[in-house]
Amino acid sequence: MARRDLPTVTVNVFPGGFNWGVYVGQDKGFFAEAGIAVEVQGTPNSVTQMTDFSLGKFDVAMTAVDNIVAYVEGQGEAPIGAQSDFVAVMGSDSGFLSLVASPSIAKIEDLAGKTLSVDAMTTGYAFVLYEIMRRHGLDKDKGDYRIERAGGMVQRWNALREGQHTATLLSAPYNIIAKNAGFTELVKATDVIGPYQGNVAAVRRPWARDNRAKIEAYIRAYRRSIAWLYEPANRAEAIAILTSHLPQMPQAIAEASYGELLDSIRGFFKTCEIDPLGLDCVLSLRSRYGVPPKQLDDPAEYCDLSFG
């Protein structure tokens, strides 16, 4: 079957190097060999992504699993109500989160009284930021620092660079770009909070019931892409694929991203499974910070692991 005749799966993503597996699957033909054609859509922020997801504007969301938990529980920031049909079907990574601050900031405690930025106040990685700050003696609810919405990673880095905010969570390549520009990487999030489930592939349950073969093909090809990326012999081609999809990325940043995103300990999950300890951390943080308050302790409510 010619690639143009393959059934299409639309995948919605935030911009960044963490889409490397998708890019490889496209360029190396792994998706096509699995029997699907993948079209990538970009999103500027989680409110837009989750709203469009609820409307069925795409098939697969590559997103923080916390977004899925939040909207299933009716705690999402977009005014779309509880979305019980949202479900994660594959794990990708820990989110690659680093707390990055203005050059004048030497340690986390220096952020007292400063303004920090997030994508959305109540979903995504905001709770990771709150927890890092709490463990360093700074409590948002007590007014120890201020929080503002700034949108996705690109928007947050731009706001940080322009001095609108003092710190934010960034992932590769933006944390690398920030460090090269003299900004301070204060800490890796997982060094503070431990294992964390970041990005996942999520679908809507009704779509999943009708498209099991597409989901299985997507997971199979994505897993193959990650395995290919981890092969040292593929390094130069992998970097070329990344820069072809992110043409604004300098070669040096792409090479640094390779070291970070394919780190043997911190890098992409080689099995592409959902990390149970990482998901427990997500539920624990949401139980602490979610509004309205709920005690969340059943991972099966948010995951369907039967596809791969």
Side-chain angles (χ1 to χ4, degrees), residues 3 13 17 41 60 62 70 85 89 112 155 169 179 188 193 196 199 240 275-276 296 308:
R3 189 174 302 192
V13 304
Q41 299 177 355
V60 176
M62 295 299 290
D85 286 335
V89 294
Q155 292 91 334
L169 288 175
K179 284 190 293 183
K188 299 287 189 185
I193 65 173
Y196 184 79
N199 291 306
D275 176 17
L296 308 180

Side-chain angles (χ1 to χ4, degrees), residues 9-14 19 22-23 26 31 38-42 245:
V9 175
T10 53
V11 180
N12 188 276
V13 304
F14 291 88
N19 299 311
V22 177
Y23 302 151
Q26 288 179 310
F31 289 127
V38 165
E39 291 184 0
V40 174
Q41 299 177 355
H245 284 267

Side-chain angles (χ1 to χ4, degrees), residues 106-242:
K107 59 185 184 299
I108 293 174
E109 289 78 5
D110 293 341
L111 293 172
K114 306 299 186 183
T115 299
L116 285 60
S117 67
V118 295
D119 175 359
M121 298 284 214
T122 61
T123 60
Y125 299 132
F127 295 169
V128 173
L129 177 60
Y130 304 163
E131 183 68 4
I132 291 171
M133 299 295 284
R134 186 185 72 85
R135 295 193 188 191
H136 287 81
L138 298 173
D139 190 325
K140 174 180 69 74
D141 293 333
K142 294 179 181 178
D144 292 339
Y145 60 95
R146 296 178 295 276
I147 288 287
E148 288 189 7
R149 298 177 186 86
M153 204 85 62
V154 175
Q155 292 91 334
R156 296 204 305 279
W157 160 234
N158 286 336
L160 180 66
R161 181 179 58 188
E162 294 165 5
Q164 297 176 30
H165 310 123
T166 307
T168 192
L169 288 175
L170 296 176
S171 301
Y174 299 103
N175 64 316
I176 299 169
I177 294 169
K179 284 190 293 183
N180 287 355
F183 288 74
T184 308
E185 185 176 71
L186 294 168
V187 72
K188 299 287 189 185
T190 53
D191 287 345
V192 178
I193 65 173
Y196 184 79
Q197 179 63 58
N199 291 306
V200 297
V203 298
R204 288 164 290 111
R205 292 183 190 272
W207 184 85
R209 284 193 291 269
D210 296 335
N211 293 276
R212 172 169 286 273
K214 288 183 179 180
I215 298 172
E216 291 173 344
Y218 181 80
I219 293 173
R220 186 166 64 251
Y222 188 92
R223 186 178 289 127
R224 185 179 173 190
S225 297
I226 298 302
W228 183 89
L229 278 168
Y230 271 108
E231 286 293 332
N234 298 329
R235 183 180 187 276
E237 186 179 359
I239 291 171
I241 288 173
L242 183 63

Side-chain angles (χ1 to χ4, degrees), residues 276-291:
L277 292 178
L279 185 54
D280 285 347
C281 181
V282 171
L283 298 185
S284 175
L285 294 182
R286 182 147 289 281
S287 297
R288 178 186 294 273
Y289 297 108
V291 178

Side-chain angles (χ1 to χ4, degrees), residues 262-285:
L262 295 164
D263 179 84
S264 60
I265 296 174
R266 300 178 185 272
F268 289 110
F269 296 168
K270 293 182 179 180
T271 60
C272 300
E273 295 175 348
I274 291 175
D275 176 17
L277 292 178
L279 185 54
D280 285 347
C281 181
V282 171
L283 298 185
S284 175
L285 294 182

